[in-house]
Amino acid sequence: LGAPAAAPAVVPSAGGDLLSVMGTPSPASSAFPPLTAFEGRGVSVEFQFSKLPGSAPGTFEILATYKNGNPAPCLNFTFEIAVPKYIKLQMHSASSASIEAAGGAPTTQKIEIQNGEAPAKPTLMKIRVTFIMNGQQVQEAGQVANFPAGL
């Protein structure tokens, strides 16, 4: 008797993953463009969005990525969000309380949003970024209202 037949190899197509090749949707969709929620003093906050298949309109996750373009690290970094009462917000712990200096690894944080009034009412956020840079306390505030359509 011969050797057992080898299982066929499955190679994902360009841009695909193993689950999509097998006909199963990926757990989260990354079809939404990233959004720069804050940029100032050499620090940036970028949102990457994902939506679980079958989730209600206005329900999605954000992976916030905090980057530092300065030669010194950002210490005691906090990112705060305020939302209208019709939006439920859950912020998970950030991967670090600081952001490494330019060229270092970014800090990330998962944020869950549930806009119970979508699409009738928009998803809105007021944000505040606080950190210490070179011994100086920095606090900046802003608003985010330009979320991608379809979330």
Side-chain angles (χ1 to χ4, degrees):
L1 302 176
V10 176
V11 179
S13 60
D17 62 17
L18 187 57
L19 291 175
S20 64
V21 169
M22 297 175 72
T24 305
S26 296
S29 170
S30 60
F32 304 101
L35 172 81
T36 300
F38 172 81
E39 194 162 29
R41 302 205 186 198
V43 174
S44 67
V45 177
E46 182 178 272
F47 287 172
Q48 295 176 30
F49 304 97
S50 61
K51 187 168 180 69
L52 295 174
S55 62
T59 301
F60 57 95
E61 292 182 353
I62 298 170
L63 178 63
T65 302
Y66 311 129
K67 296 180 183 176
N68 178 9
N70 296 297
C74 294
L75 305 175
N76 297 338
F77 181 84
T78 59
F79 184 71
E80 298 172 287
I81 298 175
V83 294
K85 291 181 180 183
Y86 60 87
I87 296 176
K88 291 181 183 177
L89 167 73
Q90 182 178 2
M91 295 183 71
H92 297 260
S93 298
S95 60
S96 176
S98 62
I99 309 173
E100 294 182 21
T107 297
T108 59
Q109 185 170 15
K110 180 179 167 184
I111 303 166
E112 297 178 34
I113 299 290
Q114 184 178 2
N115 178 349
E117 299 290 328
K121 291 187 178 181
T123 300
L124 304 169
M125 291 181 176
K126 288 186 178 181
I127 61 170
R128 183 167 54 194
V129 177
T130 307
F131 57 90
I132 297 173
M133 170 83 61
N134 295 321
Q136 298 290 320
Q137 178 80 26
V138 176
Q139 182 172 310
E140 298 278 340
Q143 293 185 24
V144 181
N146 52 337
F147 288 89
L151 287 174

